[in-house]
Amino acid sequence: PALSALGFEHNLYQYAGAPSAPYSDMNGYGHFVLPLFWFYLYWALAAGLLAVAIHLFWVRGSEENWRLRWRLARHRFTTPWRRALAILLIAFVGCGAFVYYNTNVLNEYLPDDLRETRQARYEKEYKQYEGRLQPRLTAVYAEVDLYPERRAVDIRGRYRLVNKTDQAIQDLHVQLDPRVDAIRLDLPGAMLELDDAEVGYRIYQLEAPLPPAGEMDLGFEISVQPRGFVNSDSILQLAYNGTFFNSGDFFPHLGYSRAGELSDPNTRRKHGLPPLQRFPPIDDVAARRNNYISSESDWIDFETVVSTRPDQIALAPGYLQREWTDKGRRYFHYAMDSPILGFFAYLSADWEVARDQWNDVAIEVYYHPDHGYNVARMIEAVQKSLDYFTTHFGTYQHRQVRIVEFPRYARFAQSFPNTIPFSESIGFIARLSDTDDAIDYVFYVTAHEVAHQWWAHQVIGAFTQGATVMSETMSQYSALMVMEKEYGPEKMRRFLKYELDNYLRSRGGELLEELPLLLVENQPYIHYRKGSVVMYALKDYLGEAALNRALAEYVRAVKFQQPPYTNSLEFLSFVREAVPEGKEGLLEDLFETITLYENRAVEAKATPQDDGRYLVRVEVESRKFRSDGQGQETAVTLNDWIDVGVFGAKSDQTPPEGKVLALRKFKVSQPKQTFEIVVDEPPVKAGIDPFNKLVDRSPENNLVPVTE
């Protein structure tokens, strides 16, 4: 840590240092073996040199005087030890030189401070071009040759560009990952005005301005060829078995991108940069020209031919038009039959394929041959998700769903048009617990990613605050509903508790400002964790049918729309139509403000009745707060309908709280209140908001044992 703080980050300086080497069942240690061997050999030789020094200076008696110890060391430094030292030293220097050649000559070594400086320079020099009018990408054709055996890829392609603005466009700004070798970029008649290879930014002056509605092609040929090995940050997307990269990784892009900006406030201050603006304001009219996935395209036509080694399958979004082999390589031709977002991926591996069906939709799961444990569960989750989503939100736009396993170098699943890459680490090697309260996260993640085919690939938000409500929060809600149908509402508490705890913990790590859900700026702890709790509470208050009718109307109104794109204000306007009279404050609490509760069950007492039932009196305490973005809280008036529940004995078929004997909403308007509920069976526990539907700062004390 001390060396790193001083800028000495290279593994050549840090004793026993070596690049990280995650293991994957799919890919073994893959390309990590070579750097591990050389770094560990380098440090083994260093240890050998230390062993010689230890032999020479080891205290064998009482010689504590250093002058005496030096004399003894020279005496012990006999010819065999000189030879050993020489051999070790030559090997150590030679090995270090070879490591240096790979990490610093064949590859560029970037310590953190230099990386930060480059990012800061990128923003300082090119942010002036953010928002500059550029043509839109409307069609992509790409020929992608994958070489898994050497972790390389060659891409030849063509973009169709259209000027969708009302002004002529004079220049074209192109970005390319600096790790990519640009063999050619074809813009007939254009002149390269600027080529900043260090950050990958180019500016071309067009021969003649591109008029409104004018069209042009951008041809390109690029190559990614890893050379030797690196000190850190190797290209994980390219693997011997399990290649997975998307269009954001290696393909050329148009215009300035905020993705290259520094995000840490302290680092930005150090480089003299202004505070970071993650997303434009929700009412920014200009920002609504772009969706939050891409600022260079709206909906595109997509076609690709991808090749790989003969023992692997290559995949990309679309439908397989043709498959063939030529000169020892395997080719696949894919094409989409309708426009998609400019967000696509390529994968290649040696997979087994499981196939099934839902109505006329083909379901395929591509998995490592040893990882069939949860494949049937994934297929079942796809079928039940398609059934729920088509019933409640509208038609599925594709004829297939593919789930594709990739190595555990990343821990996520991601939804592309009709294709869902899914990490081996979060589903394919999962051993799900048999306990009744365990979360079936394989089923849930699958449902969430299928939901993205509606919430992102049909309804896509503008690049403004709140954009991820319509993608991530709605996919969370959709998956929750599929889970509830599968496991019952009583078993949702553990999942909601997990989401709530995660949100409450993560608030303290916010670097800039916590925002209400309505204005979330791609903050996962808000749009995932808080979003789950909020949407489940909203469904509970409005009713599933009423909420889903409003959501279906919203989908019909905005799906596949062109700019200006929808935003969370428009989303909320549709939801507002489903809010009954007297509950108008719901949306303010759930979406428009940061509202927190402090509910606590004080005690619960049961009195047996003459008819064999039990009268349960539940005493509760409740307070309500509003927080600003920095965590400063203010108490507000409480006048809310909140669940009060009574639970019976626990069994194998009940949630952890026990059997639900009663669950009713009461108007809570005082800091302390007592509520009465009559139940048919002996009560065991009782309390307030037992299923964590509200954002409660201390949900652990919501239930207490019932006493007589």
Side-chain angles (χ1 to χ4, degrees):
L3 285 171
S4 295
L6 294 171
F8 295 97
E9 301 162 20
H10 204 296
N11 287 311
L12 284 173
Y13 317 140
Q14 304 219 12
Y15 187 81
S20 62
Y23 179 81
S24 159
D25 266 6
M26 286 187 71
N27 196 45
Y29 280 109
H31 66 281
F32 302 109
V33 172
L34 186 64
L36 279 184
F37 171 80
W38 284 104
F39 273 104
Y40 285 156
L41 177 60
Y42 171 79
W43 287 116
L45 293 167
L49 291 170
L50 290 174
V52 172
I54 289 169
H55 165 73
L56 297 177
F57 290 96
W58 189 266
V59 177
R60 291 172 171 78
S62 59
E63 61 273 17
E64 296 181 358
N65 183 287
W66 268 103
R67 182 177 298 176
L68 177 59
R69 291 176 69 178
W70 273 104
R71 190 182 308 145
L72 289 172
R74 287 198 300 271
H75 177 72
R76 295 169 184 160
F77 196 34
T78 59
T79 299
W81 286 103
R82 291 194 186 97
R83 289 173 181 167
L85 181 66
I87 292 170
L88 287 169
L89 187 60
I90 292 170
F92 175 71
V93 172
C95 186
F98 182 75
V99 169
Y100 181 87
Y101 173 72
N102 276 270
T103 59
N104 292 52
V105 179
L106 292 180
N107 294 281
E108 185 178 28
Y109 167 61
L110 281 177
D112 286 344
D113 58 348
L114 181 55
R115 194 187 308 273
E116 290 173 4
T117 300
R118 284 192 183 177
Q119 283 184 268
R121 184 176 72 79
Y122 168 76
E123 182 173 348
K124 289 175 180 178
E125 295 185 13
Y126 301 116
K127 193 173 179 65
Q128 60 179 310
Y129 301 121
E130 184 179 26
R132 191 178 186 89
L133 296 181
Q134 293 284 280
R136 292 296 239 210
L137 195 162
T138 62
V140 172
Y141 174 78
E143 296 175 355
V144 177
D145 295 324
L146 303 172
Y147 300 94
E149 65 279 2
R150 53 188 175 91
R151 300 178 51 249
V153 57
D154 294 333
I155 304 173
R156 298 170 301 282
R158 181 178 65 254
Y159 291 163
R160 189 64 172 167
L161 306 179
V162 177
N163 183 357
K164 294 186 177 183
T165 76
D166 57 2
Q167 301 176 36
I169 294 175
Q170 180 61 57
D171 52 19
L172 190 69
H173 294 237
V174 180
Q175 282 202 87
L176 201 60
D177 189 320
R179 299 173 300 177
V180 171
D181 296 323
I183 299 170
R184 64 176 176 85
L185 287 174
D186 290 340
L187 282 167
M191 181 181 69
L192 182 60
E193 182 181 276
L194 179 143
D195 183 6
D196 189 339
E198 194 172 77
V199 297
Y201 202 92
R202 297 185 180 198
I203 300 177
Y204 291 87
Q205 287 294 326
L206 303 180
E207 184 177 31
L210 186 66
E215 300 185 9
M216 62 182 293
D217 283 344
L218 169 62
F220 55 88
E221 183 175 354
I222 59 179
S223 178
V224 182
Q225 303 280 345
R227 302 172 182 88
F229 54 85
V230 295
N231 180 67
S232 60
D233 299 326
S234 66
I235 299 176
L236 300 177
Q237 297 96 321
L238 303 177
Y240 299 142
N241 186 42
T243 288
F244 165 38
F245 65 89
N246 65 48
S247 50
D249 290 322
F250 306 133
F251 279 72
H253 294 281
L254 307 180
Y256 179 86
S257 171
R258 291 192 184 190
E261 296 180 357
L262 291 167
S263 59
D264 182 79
N266 295 324
T267 306
R268 292 183 65 82
R269 280 194 294 270
K270 184 175 75 173
H271 290 278
L273 295 170
L276 179 71
Q277 183 189 45
R278 288 177 292 210
F279 271 44
I282 195 168
D283 55 358
D284 189 324
V285 175
R288 292 186 66 181
R289 292 199 305 257
N290 297 321
N291 64 66
Y292 93 95
I293 294 292
S294 171
S295 61
E296 62 185 352
S297 65
D298 299 308
W299 302 90
I300 67 169
D301 297 323
F302 178 73
E303 184 176 3
T304 188
V305 175
V306 54
S307 70
T308 188
R309 55 186 294 164
D311 58 342
Q312 294 191 11
I313 300 171
L315 294 172
Y319 303 99
L320 183 62
Q321 309 295 305
R322 182 185 168 215
E323 178 186 344
W324 71 98
T325 57
D326 183 35
K327 296 179 181 178
R329 292 185 59 76
R330 194 174 180 184
Y331 289 81
F332 302 81
H333 178 193
Y334 297 101
M336 292 299 300
D337 58 356
S338 60
I340 62 172
L341 291 174
F343 186 52
F344 46 90
Y346 292 88
L347 301 102
S348 177
D350 180 11
W351 291 297
E352 295 282 347
V353 185
R355 292 181 170 86
D356 211 312
Q357 200 85 8
W358 178 84
N359 295 345
D360 59 346
V361 176
I363 301 172
E364 299 172 342
V365 179
Y366 293 75
Y367 64 97
H368 185 59
D370 295 335
H371 291 174
Y373 317 115
N374 300 312
V375 168
R377 194 72 179 132
M378 290 177 173
I379 291 173
E380 185 182 7
V382 172
Q383 292 168 330
K384 291 180 176 178
S385 298
L386 290 172
D387 193 55
Y388 187 91
F389 304 154
T390 56
T391 299
H392 293 279
F393 305 140
T395 306
Y396 177 55
Q397 69 271 38
H398 301 300
R399 304 189 308 273
Q400 68 183 20
V401 177
R402 294 183 301 199
I403 294 177
V404 189
E405 183 179 10
F406 67 88
R408 59 176 289 268
Y409 306 143
R411 185 180 172 83
F412 61 78
Q414 192 169 29
S415 195
F416 296 87
N418 77 22
T419 300
I420 301 171
F422 202 127
S423 173
E424 72 176 311
S425 66
I426 63 167
F428 286 92
I429 60 171
R431 183 189 294 274
L432 298 174
S433 172
D434 293 329
T435 60
D436 294 308
D437 60 342
I439 297 171
D440 185 351
Y441 63 88
V442 174
F443 188 92
Y444 184 83
V445 172
T446 303
H448 175 100
E449 298 306 327
V450 174
H452 273 309
Q453 300 297 313
W454 281 261
W455 306 109
H457 292 291
Q458 291 189 36
V459 176
I460 184 68
F463 180 48
T464 62
Q465 293 173 317
T468 48
V469 170
M470 290 81 72
S471 56
E472 300 301 350
T473 299
M474 287 311 305
S475 291
Q476 289 286 92
Y477 166 73
S478 303
L480 274 170
M481 291 300 95
V482 177
M483 284 276 282
E484 187 177 77
K485 294 293 179 287
E486 180 74 2
Y487 293 106
E490 294 82 8
K491 295 198 176 181
M492 299 307 294
R493 182 179 187 263
R494 179 168 182 183
F495 186 85
L496 292 171
K497 177 71 164 51
Y498 170 83
E499 297 286 77
L500 176 59
D501 288 347
N502 196 304
Y503 164 66
L504 293 172
R505 280 196 306 269
S506 300
R507 295 180 70 219
E510 174 59 59
L511 293 176
L512 300 179
E513 178 186 11
E514 181 183 358
L515 292 166
L517 182 58
L518 182 73
L519 303 178
V520 62
E521 294 179 343
N522 200 25
Q523 297 156 286
Y525 75 98
I526 298 176
H527 63 225
Y528 288 129
R529 310 308 171 204
K530 182 180 180 180
S532 294
V533 177
V534 162
M535 287 304 300
Y536 197 81
L538 186 65
K539 184 272 300 186
D540 189 61
Y541 281 108
L542 304 186
E544 181 183 357
L547 177 57
N548 284 350
R549 279 195 300 272
L551 296 175
E553 285 295 323
Y554 176 65
V555 172
R556 281 193 290 272
V558 305
K559 66 179 180 179
F560 305 121
Q561 70 181 170
Q562 297 290 334
Y565 289 100
T566 187
N567 62 12
S568 55
L569 288 173
E570 185 176 14
F571 165 81
L572 210 59
S573 70
F574 279 82
V575 174
R576 203 178 302 276
E577 294 297 316
V579 177
E581 188 176 349
K583 294 184 179 179
E584 292 83 1
L586 258 180
L587 301 186
E588 182 182 7
D589 288 343
L590 297 177
F591 287 90
E592 298 171 353
T593 61
I594 303 171
T595 299
L596 306 165
Y597 292 84
E598 199 167 273
N599 297 317
R600 184 171 79 92
V602 179
E603 67 174 6
K605 294 192 175 184
T607 303
Q609 304 296 289
D610 294 339
D611 59 2
R613 297 194 295 170
Y614 297 83
L615 173 65
V616 183
R617 291 182 175 87
V618 187
E619 183 182 348
V620 302
E621 292 179 351
S622 190
R623 293 192 295 166
K624 182 177 179 180
F625 303 88
R626 291 268 167 83
S627 174
D628 65 14
Q630 305 306 319
Q632 297 297 316
E633 296 177 358
T634 304
V636 295
T637 302
L638 182 67
N639 191 31
D640 295 18
W641 291 91
I642 302 178
D643 285 342
V644 175
V646 180
F647 298 85
K650 187 180 184 304
S651 70
D652 292 341
Q653 285 73 44
T654 65
E657 297 78 19
K659 180 181 179 181
V660 179
L661 304 182
L663 187 67
R664 289 175 50 194
K665 281 185 166 51
F666 289 90
K667 175 64 75 68
V668 180
S669 56
Q670 301 295 325
K672 266 192 177 184
Q673 286 181 258
T674 300
F675 302 102
E676 295 184 350
I677 300 178
V678 177
V679 296
D680 296 331
E681 300 178 25
V684 176
K685 290 182 181 179
I688 183 170
D689 189 25
F691 289 110
N692 301 124
K693 296 172 186 175
L694 301 177
V695 181
D696 190 334
R697 296 189 307 187
S698 303
E700 292 80 9
N701 57 15
N702 287 19
L703 288 172
V704 292
V706 177
T707 59
E708 288 196 7

